[in-house]
Amino acid sequence: YHCLLDVPVCRNSGYVVLTDKDETTGMHCLGYRLDDTEAIYQAGIAAGQEGKCKDCTGDTTKPVYGYRATVTGTVKELGD
């Protein structure tokens, strides 16, 4: 949670949705870029265990790493 939510260069560069791993490289592929980064940030701090990021508010039952979110939205533009 710290790297995702606390580090300015990470937060300020925006968030993305990753697709499944490429079977050849074993790496995830970029799916979508998200415009509303504040909503992602707020959901992240609520989901993270307190003390695992600067603003995390979750109790000890919350995870300390591996943040995953379900995102619902509208695709505004398809890139290459």
Side-chain angles (χ1 to χ4, degrees), residues 25-62:
T25 65
M27 298 181 74
H28 288 281
C29 299
L30 173 63
Y32 299 98
R33 292 188 188 282
L34 304 174
D35 287 340
D36 190 357
T37 58
E38 185 60 24
I40 301 300
Y41 175 75
Q42 292 300 324
I45 63 171
Q49 193 177 114
E50 187 174 359
K52 299 304 175 183
C53 75
K54 184 172 85 68
D55 295 323
C56 285
T57 59
D59 61 28
T60 57
T61 66
K62 298 293 185 174

Side-chain angles (χ1 to χ4, degrees), residues 8-19:
V9 70
C10 296
R11 260 189 83 193
N12 297 336
S13 65
Y15 297 111
V16 296
V17 174
L18 300 176
T19 61

